[in-house]
Amino acid sequence: MEKVLFTDVGEGLHEAEILQWFVDVGDTVERDEALVELQTDKVAIEVTAPKKGIIMQRIGDIGQRIIVGDTLVEVDTGEASSTVVEESQQVAAPEQAIESVATTEKKATLDEKGPKRIKAAPSVRKLARELGIDIQTVQASAAHGRITKEDIRNATSGSSAEVSQADPTKEAAKVSVHRVAPIMGEKRREKISGVRKQMYQNIAYSLANIPHTTAMYDMQVDELNRVRKDLKAFTEQPLTYLPFFIKIITYVLQENPIFNASIDEEKEEIIYHENVNIGIAMATKQGLVVPVIHNVETLSLEEIAAQLQDLTERGRNNKLSLHELKGATFTISSTGMRGGVYATPVMTAPQVAILGLHAMVEKPVILPDRTIGIGTVMGSSLSFDHRIIDGEAVGYFMEAFKNYVENPKRLLLKA
């Protein structure tokens, strides 16, 4: 009997949602045949059969959340019982190895002999330390014995004032959710699931945990448009504005490395990244996805345009791989011509900044000869983590970005 587990796919992806089952109990499956499709907070992945056999047990319903180490399927292969790590030969950490191979009886014995295995995110463990709570004593309320921040707060003295101070936003939100009045005349309801559910959860986490501050700048793009039109004659790639902005941001990030960083919440450390990996926020029918162009500092403008077109097409068709959705060190959100003039983009942890690029509109401007005329102006919005980035650093960043945009020929000096 082979057990197929949901294993660690990296990038801190410890949970997934069951999207659909491809098999049922009693089905005969071939090696590498798809068993189930899971949705992480970045990408949909398929778990395949390790060997030919018969499905003896299928664990979990569509829409159910699972965590790393959970058994998904038991397959009778006609061989001795073992546990299979899906599509991976990674060596499990000691506690994962114990969890994956032990029978129910062995697990009970282990629990009696030593501390129980705690299933909790780093942010939850940090909150427990801050409140002086022994996490070993906390009663879990989430699926599969996972401890949440709410469980930690419930383990305090019970003072409503103390809970409110710990996270007043969450407490207020909880009250409003429970007091929603019945809605009359509903047309339909739609389950929040898949990519949209991950967006729903990630944005809520980001706004609740990261102090967002946003700087907004105007910049003229007439000269950039002229350069873009001239270069279009020398390439077969669709040369939109976005490849230019990606290339410019790469230089600005190298000049201002604090923005090409991330935060290790557990260790309270800033991690400065050597490579520039730009995430591009993209709206799809499934929800918001953020494909990543890796090592942009090594790419030409034409190569950036080619990769951007490829990622856009496959992103709209839900064909992106996990690698193409992870590792971003900075994100750009382009709202396009139908977007507003300004916005407040929401960061993705552990990144420390995100740049919003907005609609280009004609406005009165000061022309190079100091006369008043009509120019094309684009609004931009930089949201940043004010815990580690101050206003002076933002000023240098945005002025550098504006200077490159309004004087795009400076890129020739960097090529």
Side-chain angles (χ1 to χ4, degrees), residues 257-294:
I258 186 65
F259 293 87
N260 193 48
S262 58
I263 296 180
D264 186 330
E265 296 277 2
E266 191 70 17
K267 296 181 179 179
E268 295 188 345
E269 294 176 346
I270 301 173
I271 303 171
Y272 291 87
H273 300 292
E274 181 178 0
N275 301 112
V276 178
N277 301 332
I278 303 294
I280 308 297
M282 180 187 303
T284 70
K285 292 181 180 179
Q286 294 78 32
L288 183 70
V289 297
V290 187
V292 181
I293 302 179
H294 294 86

Side-chain angles (χ1 to χ4, degrees), residues 156 189 210 217 285:
T156 61
R189 289 194 177 211
I210 302 175
Y217 278 60
K285 292 181 180 179

Side-chain angles (χ1 to χ4, degrees), residues 18-236:
I18 298 176
L19 285 185
Q20 60 176 321
W21 284 101
F22 301 118
V23 296
D24 207 340
V25 174
D27 289 351
T28 298
V29 295
E30 300 293 332
R31 178 184 174 88
D32 297 328
E33 182 177 340
L35 301 175
V36 61
E37 183 179 23
L38 307 175
Q39 176 67 58
T40 70
D41 64 352
K42 292 180 179 290
V43 68
I45 58 176
E46 289 184 358
V47 178
T48 58
K51 298 178 182 178
K52 179 179 180 180
I54 300 174
I55 302 298
M56 303 304 294
Q57 188 174 10
R58 195 185 77 174
I59 302 171
D61 299 322
I62 293 175
Q64 180 175 326
R65 302 292 295 178
I66 61 171
I67 63 174
V68 168
D70 284 348
T71 299
L72 293 166
V73 175
E74 291 187 0
V75 183
D76 184 0
T77 63
E79 301 175 2
S81 178
S82 63
T83 300
V84 172
V85 177
E86 180 266 320
E87 294 183 348
S88 174
Q89 297 300 321
Q90 299 175 14
V91 178
E95 65 175 7
Q96 291 175 324
I98 292 173
E99 185 74 6
S100 63
V101 302
T103 61
T104 303
E105 292 77 16
K106 287 182 179 178
K107 287 181 185 178
T109 302
L110 285 170
D111 288 341
E112 292 172 2
K113 290 182 178 180
K116 64 181 180 179
R117 179 189 179 194
I118 300 301
K119 298 178 180 179
S123 59
V124 176
R125 296 174 186 271
K126 181 180 179 182
L127 178 61
R129 290 195 301 272
E130 291 173 348
L131 297 180
I133 301 298
D134 182 358
I135 199 168
Q136 291 278 347
T137 65
V138 176
Q139 183 68 36
S141 64
H144 309 287
R146 183 167 53 84
I147 297 174
T148 66
K149 287 186 177 181
E150 193 65 28
D151 296 332
I152 299 295
R153 298 188 190 101
N154 289 337
T156 61
S157 62
S159 168
S160 60
E162 184 177 0
V163 172
S164 179
Q165 290 173 5
D167 197 339
T169 305
K170 291 282 187 68
E171 192 65 21
K174 184 178 71 171
V175 172
S176 65
V177 168
H178 286 294
R179 294 182 180 176
V180 170
I183 301 175
M184 304 303 294
E186 290 183 2
K187 183 176 181 180
R188 68 186 181 95
R189 289 194 177 211
E190 180 180 338
K191 183 70 175 177
I192 302 175
S193 61
V195 173
R196 196 174 301 279
K197 184 171 183 178
Q198 300 303 329
M199 177 179 71
Y200 173 91
Q201 295 174 337
N202 290 345
I203 290 179
Y205 174 85
S206 180
L207 288 176
N209 292 278
I210 302 175
H212 282 62
T213 306
T214 304
M216 301 177 182
Y217 278 60
D218 278 340
M219 49 200 69
Q220 296 182 43
V221 294
D222 297 282
E223 183 61 24
L224 178 62
N225 189 35
R226 282 189 285 269
V227 171
R228 184 180 69 90
K229 288 181 178 179
D230 289 342
L231 291 180
K232 286 175 68 175
F234 299 97
T235 178
E236 296 180 357

Side-chain angles (χ1 to χ4, degrees), residues 241-359:
Y241 287 98
L242 194 51
F244 285 91
F245 293 132
I246 294 172
K247 192 64 178 176
I248 289 172
I249 281 297
T250 301
Y251 293 135
V252 177
L253 289 172
Q254 290 174 321
E255 296 168 7
N256 300 268
I258 186 65
F259 293 87
N260 193 48
S262 58
I263 296 180
D264 186 330
E265 296 277 2
E266 191 70 17
K267 296 181 179 179
E268 295 188 345
E269 294 176 346
I270 301 173
I271 303 171
Y272 291 87
H273 300 292
E274 181 178 0
N275 301 112
V276 178
N277 301 332
I278 303 294
I280 308 297
M282 180 187 303
T284 70
K285 292 181 180 179
Q286 294 78 32
L288 183 70
V289 297
V290 187
V292 181
I293 302 179
H294 294 86
N295 304 323
V296 185
E297 73 280 3
T298 67
L299 303 177
S300 68
L301 187 64
E302 191 174 35
E303 289 170 328
I304 293 172
Q307 286 202 29
L308 182 62
Q309 182 187 25
D310 176 57
L311 291 173
T312 300
E313 290 177 354
R314 289 190 293 111
R316 289 170 179 167
N317 294 306
N318 199 26
K319 299 296 184 182
L320 295 168
S321 68
L322 179 61
H323 171 72
E324 292 166 330
L325 290 166
K326 68 180 184 179
T329 59
F330 185 89
T331 297
I332 294 176
S333 176
S334 177
T335 57
M337 297 305 297
R338 289 187 295 274
V341 178
Y342 304 106
T344 304
V346 179
M347 282 172 275
T348 301
Q351 295 171 44
V352 297
I354 180 173
L355 179 68
L357 303 174
H358 310 300

